[in-house]
Amino acid sequence: MDQTNFNDVEMVWQPTEETAAEMKEFKQLIESKYNVKLRDFWDLHKWSVEHLPEFYAELWNNAGIIYSKNFDQVIDLSIPMEDSPPWFEGARLNFAENLLKFRDDHVALISAAEDSETKRTTYAEMYEEATLYAAAFRKFGLKKGDIVACYLSNRREAVFAMLGAVSIGAIFTGALPQLGAEAVINRLKQIKPKILFTIDRFKYNKMEIEMLTKVKKIADGISCLQKIVIVPSKEESKYADVRKIPNSCFLEEFLEMGKEPDGTIPPLIFEQFSFSHPVFISYTSGTSGLPKPLISSFGILLATARDFGIYGKPNRDVVWLSISPVGWTSWNMYTNMLFIGCTLVLFEGHPYFLSSTFLWDMVDELKISHLLLTPNILDDLENKGYIPTEKHSLNSLRVITSGGTVVRPQNFDFCRRLKKDLRIFAIYGCTEVMGPSMWHDTSLPIYKCEVPAASLGTDIQCLNEKGESVTGEPGEIVLMKPVPSLALGLWGDEDRSAFKEKYFSKFPGVFAVGDTGIINPITKGFIICGRSDATLKARGCRFGSSEIYNVVNKFPEVYDSICVSQFSKNFVERAVLFVKMKDGYSFNDEIVNKIRVAIRNELTVRHIPEVILETKNIPYNINGKKVEIIVKKIINNMPYDPESVTNPQCLQNFCNIPELQGFDE
């Protein structure tokens, strides 16, 4: 990996007095109330991480959190971060009530798809839908702490189900609809949901995705499911025979449970809970064993208000495009933008390549103001020549953000050619904090390939192997102090040992997820380099190697396998799979194609390793674990220590492989 020339970083956007006004207003509030002098954003950021209770109290007030009882204490910082010190102790509130605080005729959701008409849902209509879903859940017997799961394409019904469930105090989770049945079972069987929402079929990138066969396998594999609610994709879908799926019914039948005999619907009751009450369960990438369930609480409300609002205040004139179904952390991030009163375009499918102008047609038609496009999507749009034409005004489009993997120079260049004065910036976040932790404050300039700054109230540093904070050189990205949106722990990990081992063992007392970055000593921005551990993040999809092994090692021809990341000089990441064949079987194009098809069918197309090669042996340590990190270092020409490997002679198999040379994107 090449080091960056910090003196030669191109500025691609410059703030003005107008764009800096919001930061200055908030800064003046802090200066006046706390009798401090703050020169700029960097002073404000320093104050925010050195005074966490005060900062988050001000954000709470600015955001207009709805509660029945205010907090007694923001946080006790004497409690170690690995013990998840509770935030806003004493407060009583409801998550859904805060997402439903706007109940007017402003459009909340625009539902669009590859094969259905566009529908609009106002905030008032969304409140009515949540009321009906909550009533049906109550009649069914759903209660505090029960789990509702979603295996559904990106539709508004998922939003309604989440709002209805969490209004009662149930916990909401989901799995990507592109995943195969076994991958879904591996996730959901750990948390034992009572209800599963799903769909009969949907279109994705012009492909027909049939769901009911997979749903039948899931129903047979998870005995705790008491009800499977099927959303009909078309009117004629209601006539499908679903009797072979146990405990199943169509959505209309389920919602009828919520109505009184006279057709009325009981009013929506927002049960009150502590700030630490679980709201969402998401999943780790499954680097070691199955993907593990992460528990998140109310903290995402404040993160949303901070980064997507106006220093906590509503931001109602923005329209975000979301293609993320439940199962991506970005679904939680987008859905929680309802808290700031904006409009979400929920696209069911993959809108980028349906035609050469489909995305730009949609931007103009639906007046989309904000896009989040991964570097891979930007690359493909540029390579295919899918750019706006003279008929596109793009008047509504103001911001393009990019993340999910390393954002490259050509991504910035491409976006700048789309429209003059477009604000383009990289972001960084992770599942464990339910969204961004690095963002762009509009008082700061934007430099090519850098994430402008850590979010306010977020103390992020880069540490070397000795645990020393470094700038100007690669280090592991860590969170030095707690934030409200940080995951509470892992489901079922009663003594917190697995949570502490996974996130706090490398640097005691410091939260690390295994990403490497460089802090530019001149601009103070972050350059994201990729993963430092065995998690892969190829094509914008973060996943664990075990997910690949669960598919590949089923093949009777395959003895073993190992999957790691390779990086180009610009930190582009691709997955490389090494396969060890059983005696009597040959490695050839046929087995490679079979592996690709199986991974696509059981996971997603983005999980397919870009390179699949044969190897004669695979390294293990004394505990019987594959030594993925060492293989990763070898193919990336990085120094490594073979001491932990019980069969070190096999490491030569991964050196100087011709097929891996010349990877420069």
Side-chain angles (χ1 to χ4, degrees), residues 71-119:
F71 60 87
D72 300 319
Q73 176 179 252
V74 176
I75 188 174
D76 182 355
L77 291 174
S78 68
I79 300 174
M81 183 164 38
E82 58 263 38
D83 293 328
S84 295
W87 286 86
F88 300 102
E89 283 192 283
R92 304 290 291 177
L93 67 167
N94 185 280
F95 193 88
E97 185 175 14
N98 278 277
L99 295 189
L100 290 167
K101 66 179 180 179
F102 298 103
R103 302 171 192 176
D104 53 21
D105 291 332
H106 188 86
V107 175
L109 307 173
I110 301 176
S111 303
E114 295 186 22
D115 64 348
S116 62
E117 295 181 359
T118 299
K119 300 176 183 177

CSV table of all heavy atoms in Angstrom, one decimal, residues 71-119:
chain,number,residue,atom,x,y,z
A,71,PHE,N,-34.0,12.8,31.4
A,71,PHE,CA,-32.9,12.0,32.0
A,71,PHE,C,-32.4,12.7,33.3
A,71,PHE,O,-32.5,13.9,33.5
A,71,PHE,CB,-31.7,11.9,31.0
A,71,PHE,CG,-31.1,13.2,30.5
A,71,PHE,CD1,-30.1,13.8,31.2
A,71,PHE,CD2,-31.6,13.8,29.4
A,71,PHE,CE1,-29.6,15.0,30.8
A,71,PHE,CE2,-31.0,15.0,28.9
A,71,PHE,CZ,-30.0,15.6,29.7
A,72,ASP,N,-31.9,11.8,34.2
A,72,ASP,CA,-31.2,12.3,35.4
A,72,ASP,C,-29.7,12.5,35.2
A,72,ASP,O,-29.1,13.4,35.8
A,72,ASP,CB,-31.5,11.3,36.5
A,72,ASP,CG,-32.9,11.1,36.8
A,72,ASP,OD1,-33.7,12.1,36.8
A,72,ASP,OD2,-33.3,9.9,37.0
A,73,GLN,N,-29.1,11.7,34.4
A,73,GLN,CA,-27.7,11.7,34.2
A,73,GLN,C,-27.4,11.3,32.7
A,73,GLN,O,-28.0,10.3,32.2
A,73,GLN,CB,-26.9,10.8,35.1
A,73,GLN,CG,-25.4,10.7,34.9
A,73,GLN,CD,-24.8,9.8,35.9
A,73,GLN,OE1,-24.1,10.3,36.8
A,73,GLN,NE2,-25.0,8.5,35.8
A,74,VAL,N,-26.5,12.1,32.0
A,74,VAL,CA,-26.2,11.7,30.6
A,74,VAL,C,-25.4,10.4,30.6
A,74,VAL,O,-25.8,9.5,29.9
A,74,VAL,CB,-25.4,12.8,30.0
A,74,VAL,CG1,-25.0,12.4,28.5
A,74,VAL,CG2,-26.3,14.1,29.9
A,75,ILE,N,-24.3,10.3,31.3
A,75,ILE,CA,-23.5,9.1,31.3
A,75,ILE,C,-22.5,9.2,32.4
A,75,ILE,O,-22.0,10.3,32.8
A,75,ILE,CB,-22.7,9.0,29.9
A,75,ILE,CG1,-22.0,7.6,29.9
A,75,ILE,CG2,-21.7,10.1,29.7
A,75,ILE,CD1,-21.3,7.3,28.5
A,76,ASP,N,-22.1,8.0,33.0
A,76,ASP,CA,-21.1,7.9,34.0
A,76,ASP,C,-19.8,7.4,33.3
A,76,ASP,O,-19.7,6.3,33.1
A,76,ASP,CB,-21.6,7.0,35.1
A,76,ASP,CG,-20.5,6.8,36.2
A,76,ASP,OD1,-19.4,7.4,36.1
A,76,ASP,OD2,-20.8,6.1,37.2
A,77,LEU,N,-18.9,8.3,33.1
A,77,LEU,CA,-17.7,8.0,32.3
A,77,LEU,C,-16.7,7.2,33.2
A,77,LEU,O,-15.7,6.8,32.6
A,77,LEU,CB,-17.0,9.3,31.8
A,77,LEU,CG,-17.8,10.0,30.7
A,77,LEU,CD1,-17.1,11.3,30.3
A,77,LEU,CD2,-17.9,9.1,29.5
A,78,SER,N,-17.0,7.0,34.4
A,78,SER,CA,-16.1,6.1,35.2
A,78,SER,C,-16.4,4.6,34.9
A,78,SER,O,-15.5,3.8,35.2
A,78,SER,CB,-16.3,6.4,36.7
A,78,SER,OG,-17.6,5.9,37.1
A,79,ILE,N,-17.5,4.3,34.3
A,79,ILE,CA,-17.7,3.0,33.9
A,79,ILE,C,-17.0,2.7,32.6
A,79,ILE,O,-17.1,3.4,31.6
A,79,ILE,CB,-19.2,2.7,33.6
A,79,ILE,CG1,-20.0,3.0,34.9
A,79,ILE,CG2,-19.5,1.3,33.1
A,79,ILE,CD1,-21.5,3.0,34.8
A,80,PRO,N,-16.2,1.6,32.5
A,80,PRO,CA,-15.4,1.3,31.3
A,80,PRO,C,-16.3,1.1,30.1
A,80,PRO,O,-17.5,0.6,30.2
A,80,PRO,CB,-14.7,0.0,31.6
A,80,PRO,CG,-14.7,-0.1,33.1
A,80,PRO,CD,-15.9,0.6,33.6
A,81,MET,N,-15.8,1.5,28.9
A,81,MET,CA,-16.6,1.5,27.7
A,81,MET,C,-17.0,0.0,27.4
A,81,MET,O,-18.1,-0.2,26.9
A,81,MET,CB,-15.8,2.1,26.5
A,81,MET,CG,-16.6,2.1,25.2
A,81,MET,SD,-16.0,3.2,23.9
A,81,MET,CE,-14.2,3.0,24.0
A,82,GLU,N,-16.2,-0.9,27.7
A,82,GLU,CA,-16.5,-2.3,27.4
A,82,GLU,C,-17.7,-2.9,28.2
A,82,GLU,O,-18.3,-3.9,27.9
A,82,GLU,CB,-15.3,-3.2,27.6
A,82,GLU,CG,-14.7,-3.2,29.0
A,82,GLU,CD,-13.5,-2.3,29.0
A,82,GLU,OE1,-13.5,-1.2,28.4
A,82,GLU,OE2,-12.5,-2.6,29.7
A,83,ASP,N,-18.0,-2.1,29.3
A,83,ASP,CA,-19.2,-2.5,30.1
A,83,ASP,C,-20.4,-1.7,29.7
A,83,ASP,O,-21.5,-1.8,30.4
A,83,ASP,CB,-18.9,-2.3,31.6
A,83,ASP,CG,-17.8,-3.2,32.1
A,83,ASP,OD1,-17.8,-4.3,31.6
A,83,ASP,OD2,-17.1,-2.8,33.0
A,84,SER,N,-20.4,-1.0,28.6
A,84,SER,CA,-21.5,-0.3,28.0
A,84,SER,C,-22.2,0.6,29.0
A,84,SER,O,-23.3,0.4,29.4
A,84,SER,CB,-22.5,-1.2,27.4
A,84,SER,OG,-22.0,-1.9,26.3
A,85,PRO,N,-21.5,1.7,29.5
A,85,PRO,CA,-22.2,2.6,30.4
A,85,PRO,C,-23.5,3.1,29.9
A,85,PRO,O,-23.5,3.5,28.7
A,85,PRO,CB,-21.1,3.7,30.6
A,85,PRO,CG,-20.2,3.6,29.4
A,85,PRO,CD,-20.2,2.2,29.0
A,86,PRO,N,-24.5,3.1,30.7
A,86,PRO,CA,-25.8,3.5,30.2
A,86,PRO,C,-25.9,5.0,29.9
A,86,PRO,O,-25.3,5.8,30.6
A,86,PRO,CB,-26.8,3.1,31.3
A,86,PRO,CG,-26.0,3.0,32.5
A,86,PRO,CD,-24.6,2.6,32.1
A,87,TRP,N,-26.6,5.4,28.8
A,87,TRP,CA,-26.8,6.8,28.5
A,87,TRP,C,-28.1,7.2,28.9
A,87,TRP,O,-29.1,6.5,28.9
A,87,TRP,CB,-26.7,6.9,27.0
A,87,TRP,CG,-25.2,6.9,26.4
A,87,TRP,CD1,-24.6,5.7,26.1
A,87,TRP,CD2,-24.3,7.9,26.2
A,87,TRP,NE1,-23.3,6.0,25.6
A,87,TRP,CE2,-23.1,7.4,25.7
A,87,TRP,CE3,-24.4,9.3,26.4
A,87,TRP,CZ2,-22.0,8.2,25.3
A,87,TRP,CZ3,-23.3,10.1,26.0
A,87,TRP,CH2,-22.1,9.5,25.5
A,88,PHE,N,-28.2,8.5,29.3
A,88,PHE,CA,-29.5,9.2,29.7
A,88,PHE,C,-30.3,8.4,30.7
A,88,PHE,O,-31.5,8.1,30.4
A,88,PHE,CB,-30.3,9.5,28.4
A,88,PHE,CG,-29.5,10.3,27.4
A,88,PHE,CD1,-28.9,9.8,26.3
A,88,PHE,CD2,-29.4,11.7,27.6
A,88,PHE,CE1,-28.2,10.6,25.4
A,88,PHE,CE2,-28.7,12.5,26.8
A,88,PHE,CZ,-28.1,12.0,25.7
A,89,GLU,N,-29.6,8.0,31.7
A,89,GLU,CA,-30.3,7.2,32.8
A,89,GLU,C,-31.5,8.0,33.4
A,89,GLU,O,-31.4,9.3,33.6
A,89,GLU,CB,-29.3,6.9,33.9
A,89,GLU,CG,-28.4,5.7,33.5
A,89,GLU,CD,-27.6,5.2,34.8
A,89,GLU,OE1,-26.7,5.9,35.2
A,89,GLU,OE2,-28.0,4.2,35.3
A,90,GLY,N,-32.5,7.3,33.6
A,90,GLY,CA,-33.7,8.0,34.2
A,90,GLY,C,-34.7,8.4,33.2
A,90,GLY,O,-35.9,8.5,33.5
A,91,ALA,N,-34.3,8.5,31.9
A,91,ALA,CA,-35.3,8.9,30.9
A,91,ALA,C,-36.2,7.8,30.5
A,91,ALA,O,-35.9,6.6,30.6
A,91,ALA,CB,-34.5,9.4,29.6
A,92,ARG,N,-37.4,8.2,30.2
A,92,ARG,CA,-38.4,7.2,29.7
A,92,ARG,C,-39.0,7.7,28.4
A,92,ARG,O,-39.5,8.9,28.3
A,92,ARG,CB,-39.6,7.1,30.7
A,92,ARG,CG,-39.1,6.7,32.1
A,92,ARG,CD,-38.6,5.2,32.2
A,92,ARG,NE,-39.7,4.3,32.0
A,92,ARG,CZ,-39.5,3.0,32.0
A,92,ARG,NH1,-38.2,2.5,32.0
A,92,ARG,NH2,-40.5,2.1,31.8
A,93,LEU,N,-38.9,6.9,27.4
A,93,LEU,CA,-39.3,7.3,26.0
A,93,LEU,C,-39.6,6.1,25.1
A,93,LEU,O,-39.5,5.0,25.6
A,93,LEU,CB,-38.2,8.2,25.4
A,93,LEU,CG,-36.8,7.6,25.0
A,93,LEU,CD1,-36.0,8.5,24.2
A,93,LEU,CD2,-36.0,7.2,26.3
A,94,ASN,N,-40.1,6.4,23.9
A,94,ASN,CA,-40.4,5.4,23.0
A,94,ASN,C,-39.7,5.7,21.6
A,94,ASN,O,-39.9,6.8,21.1
A,94,ASN,CB,-41.9,5.2,22.8
A,94,ASN,CG,-42.3,4.0,21.9
A,94,ASN,OD1,-42.2,4.1,20.7
A,94,ASN,ND2,-42.6,2.9,22.5
A,95,PHE,N,-39.1,4.7,21.1
A,95,PHE,CA,-38.3,5.0,19.8
A,95,PHE,C,-39.3,5.3,18.7
A,95,PHE,O,-39.1,6.3,17.9
A,95,PHE,CB,-37.5,3.7,19.5
A,95,PHE,CG,-36.5,3.9,18.4
A,95,PHE,CD1,-35.2,4.3,18.7
A,95,PHE,CD2,-36.8,3.7,17.1
A,95,PHE,CE1,-34.3,4.5,17.7
A,95,PHE,CE2,-35.9,3.8,16.1
A,95,PHE,CZ,-34.6,4.3,16.4
A,96,ALA,N,-40.4,4.6,18.5
A,96,ALA,CA,-41.3,4.8,17.4
A,96,ALA,C,-42.0,6.2,17.5
A,96,ALA,O,-42.2,6.8,16.5
A,96,ALA,CB,-42.4,3.7,17.4
A,97,GLU,N,-42.2,6.6,18.8
A,97,GLU,CA,-42.9,7.9,19.0
A,97,GLU,C,-42.0,9.0,18.4
A,97,GLU,O,-42.5,10.0,17.9
A,97,GLU,CB,-43.2,8.1,20.5
A,97,GLU,CG,-43.9,9.4,20.7
A,97,GLU,CD,-44.3,9.5,22.2
A,97,GLU,OE1,-43.8,8.8,23.0
A,97,GLU,OE2,-45.2,10.4,22.5
A,98,ASN,N,-40.7,8.8,18.6
A,98,ASN,CA,-39.8,9.9,18.1
A,98,ASN,C,-39.7,9.8,16.5
A,98,ASN,O,-39.6,10.9,15.9
A,98,ASN,CB,-38.4,9.7,18.7
A,98,ASN,CG,-38.3,10.3,20.1
A,98,ASN,OD1,-38.1,11.5,20.2
A,98,ASN,ND2,-38.5,9.5,21.1
A,99,LEU,N,-39.8,8.7,15.9
A,99,LEU,CA,-39.8,8.6,14.5
A,99,LEU,C,-41.1,9.1,13.9
A,99,LEU,O,-41.2,9.5,12.7
A,99,LEU,CB,-39.5,7.2,14.0
A,99,LEU,CG,-38.2,6.6,14.3
A,99,LEU,CD1,-38.0,5.3,13.5
A,99,LEU,CD2,-37.0,7.5,13.9
A,100,LEU,N,-42.2,9.1,14.7
A,100,LEU,CA,-43.5,9.5,14.3
A,100,LEU,C,-43.9,10.9,14.8
A,100,LEU,O,-45.1,11.2,15.0
A,100,LEU,CB,-44.5,8.5,14.7
A,100,LEU,CG,-44.4,7.1,13.9
A,100,LEU,CD1,-45.3,6.1,14.6
A,100,LEU,CD2,-44.9,7.3,12.5
A,101,LYS,N,-42.9,11.7,15.2
A,101,LYS,CA,-43.3,13.0,15.8
A,101,LYS,C,-43.9,13.9,14.8
A,101,LYS,O,-44.6,14.9,15.2
A,101,LYS,CB,-42.0,13.6,16.5
A,101,LYS,CG,-40.9,14.0,15.6
A,101,LYS,CD,-39.7,14.6,16.4
A,101,LYS,CE,-38.6,15.0,15.5
A,101,LYS,NZ,-37.5,15.6,16.4
A,102,PHE,N,-43.6,13.7,13.5
A,102,PHE,CA,-44.2,14.5,12.5
A,102,PHE,C,-45.5,13.8,12.0
A,102,PHE,O,-45.3,12.6,11.6
A,102,PHE,CB,-43.3,14.8,11.3
A,102,PHE,CG,-42.1,15.6,11.7
A,102,PHE,CD1,-40.8,15.0,11.9
A,102,PHE,CD2,-42.1,17.0,11.9
A,102,PHE,CE1,-39.7,15.7,12.2
A,102,PHE,CE2,-41.0,17.7,12.3
A,102,PHE,CZ,-39.8,17.1,12.5
A,103,ARG,N,-46.6,14.4,12.0
A,103,ARG,CA,-47.8,13.7,11.6
A,103,ARG,C,-48.6,14.6,10.6
A,103,ARG,O,-49.8,14.7,10.7
A,103,ARG,CB,-48.7,13.3,12.8
A,103,ARG,CG,-47.9,12.5,13.8
A,103,ARG,CD,-48.5,12.3,15.1
A,103,ARG,NE,-47.6,11.7,16.1
A,103,ARG,CZ,-47.9,11.4,17.4
A,103,ARG,NH1,-49.0,11.7,17.9
A,103,ARG,NH2,-46.9,10.9,18.2
A,104,ASP,N,-47.9,15.2,9.7
A,104,ASP,CA,-48.5,16.1,8.8
A,104,ASP,C,-48.6,15.5,7.3
A,104,ASP,O,-48.4,14.3,7.1
A,104,ASP,CB,-47.7,17.4,8.8
A,104,ASP,CG,-46.2,17.2,8.5
A,104,ASP,OD1,-45.9,16.2,8.0
A,104,ASP,OD2,-45.4,18.1,8.9
A,105,ASP,N,-48.9,16.4,6.4
A,105,ASP,CA,-49.0,16.0,5.0
A,105,ASP,C,-47.7,16.0,4.2
A,105,ASP,O,-47.7,15.8,3.0
A,105,ASP,CB,-50.1,16.8,4.3
A,105,ASP,CG,-51.5,16.5,4.8
A,105,ASP,OD1,-51.7,15.4,5.3
A,105,ASP,OD2,-52.3,17.4,4.8
A,106,HIS,N,-46.6,16.3,4.9
A,106,HIS,CA,-45.3,16.2,4.2
A,106,HIS,C,-45.0,14.7,3.8
A,106,HIS,O,-45.3,13.8,4.6
A,106,HIS,CB,-44.2,16.7,5.2
A,106,HIS,CG,-42.9,16.8,4.5
A,106,HIS,ND1,-42.5,18.0,3.9
A,106,HIS,CD2,-41.8,16.0,4.5
A,106,HIS,CE1,-41.2,17.8,3.4
A,106,HIS,NE2,-40.8,16.6,3.8
A,107,VAL,N,-44.5,14.5,2.6
A,107,VAL,CA,-44.2,13.1,2.2
A,107,VAL,C,-43.1,12.5,3.0
A,107,VAL,O,-42.0,13.1,3.0
A,107,VAL,CB,-43.9,13.1,0.7
A,107,VAL,CG1,-43.6,11.7,0.2
A,107,VAL,CG2,-45.1,13.6,-0.1
A,108,ALA,N,-43.4,11.4,3.6
A,108,ALA,CA,-42.4,10.6,4.3
A,108,ALA,C,-41.7,9.6,3.4
A,108,ALA,O,-40.5,9.5,3.4
A,108,ALA,CB,-43.0,9.9,5.5
A,109,LEU,N,-42.5,8.8,2.7
A,109,LEU,CA,-41.9,7.7,1.9
A,109,LEU,C,-42.4,7.8,0.5
A,109,LEU,O,-43.6,8.1,0.2
A,109,LEU,CB,-42.4,6.4,2.5
A,109,LEU,CG,-42.1,6.1,4.0
A,109,LEU,CD1,-42.7,4.8,4.4
A,109,LEU,CD2,-40.6,6.1,4.2
A,110,ILE,N,-41.5,7.7,-0.5
A,110,ILE,CA,-41.9,7.5,-1.9
A,110,ILE,C,-41.4,6.1,-2.2
A,110,ILE,O,-40.2,5.7,-2.2
A,110,ILE,CB,-41.2,8.5,-2.8
A,110,ILE,CG1,-41.6,9.9,-2.4
A,110,ILE,CG2,-41.5,8.2,-4.3
A,110,ILE,CD1,-40.9,11.0,-3.2
A,111,SER,N,-42.4,5.2,-2.5
A,111,SER,CA,-42.1,3.8,-2.9
A,111,SER,C,-42.0,3.6,-4.4
A,111,SER,O,-43.0,3.9,-5.1
A,111,SER,CB,-43.1,2.9,-2.3
A,111,SER,OG,-43.3,3.1,-0.9
A,112,ALA,N,-40.8,3.2,-4.8
A,112,ALA,CA,-40.6,2.9,-6.3
A,112,ALA,C,-40.0,1.6,-6.5
A,112,ALA,O,-39.5,1.0,-5.5
A,112,ALA,CB,-39.8,4.0,-6.9
A,113,ALA,N,-40.1,1.0,-7.7
A,113,ALA,CA,-39.6,-0.3,-7.9
A,113,ALA,C,-39.4,-0.5,-9.4
A,113,ALA,O,-39.7,0.3,-10.2
A,113,ALA,CB,-40.6,-1.4,-7.4
A,114,GLU,N,-38.8,-1.7,-9.7
A,114,GLU,CA,-38.5,-2.0,-11.1
A,114,GLU,C,-39.8,-2.4,-11.9
A,114,GLU,O,-39.8,-2.2,-13.1
A,114,GLU,CB,-37.5,-3.1,-11.2
A,114,GLU,CG,-36.1,-2.8,-10.6
A,114,GLU,CD,-35.1,-3.9,-10.9
A,114,GLU,OE1,-35.3,-4.7,-11.8
A,114,GLU,OE2,-34.1,-3.9,-10.1
A,115,ASP,N,-40.8,-2.8,-11.2
A,115,ASP,CA,-42.0,-3.4,-11.8
A,115,ASP,C,-43.3,-3.0,-11.2
A,115,ASP,O,-44.2,-3.8,-11.2
A,115,ASP,CB,-41.9,-4.9,-12.0
A,115,ASP,CG,-41.9,-5.6,-10.6
A,115,ASP,OD1,-41.7,-4.9,-9.6
A,115,ASP,OD2,-42.0,-6.8,-10.6
A,116,SER,N,-43.3,-1.8,-10.5
A,116,SER,CA,-44.6,-1.4,-9.9
A,116,SER,C,-44.7,0.1,-9.9
A,116,SER,O,-43.6,0.8,-10.1
A,116,SER,CB,-44.8,-1.9,-8.5
A,116,SER,OG,-43.7,-1.4,-7.7
A,117,GLU,N,-45.8,0.7,-9.7
A,117,GLU,CA,-46.1,2.1,-9.8
A,117,GLU,C,-45.5,2.8,-8.5
A,117,GLU,O,-45.4,2.2,-7.4
A,117,GLU,CB,-47.5,2.4,-9.9
A,117,GLU,CG,-48.2,1.9,-11.2
A,117,GLU,CD,-49.6,2.3,-11.3
A,117,GLU,OE1,-50.2,2.9,-10.4
A,117,GLU,OE2,-50.2,2.0,-12.4
A,118,THR,N,-45.2,4.0,-8.7
A,118,THR,CA,-44.6,4.8,-7.6
A,118,THR,C,-45.8,5.3,-6.6
A,118,THR,O,-46.9,5.7,-7.1
A,118,THR,CB,-43.9,6.1,-8.1
A,118,THR,OG1,-42.8,5.7,-8.9
A,118,THR,CG2,-43.4,6.9,-6.9
A,119,LYS,N,-45.6,5.1,-5.3
A,119,LYS,CA,-46.6,5.5,-4.3
A,119,LYS,C,-46.0,6.4,-3.3
A,119,LYS,O,-44.8,6.3,-3.0
A,119,LYS,CB,-47.1,4.2,-3.6
A,119,LYS,CG,-47.8,3.2,-4.5
A,119,LYS,CD,-48.2,2.0,-3.7
A,119,LYS,CE,-48.8,0.9,-4.6
A,119,LYS,NZ,-49.1,-0.3,-3.9
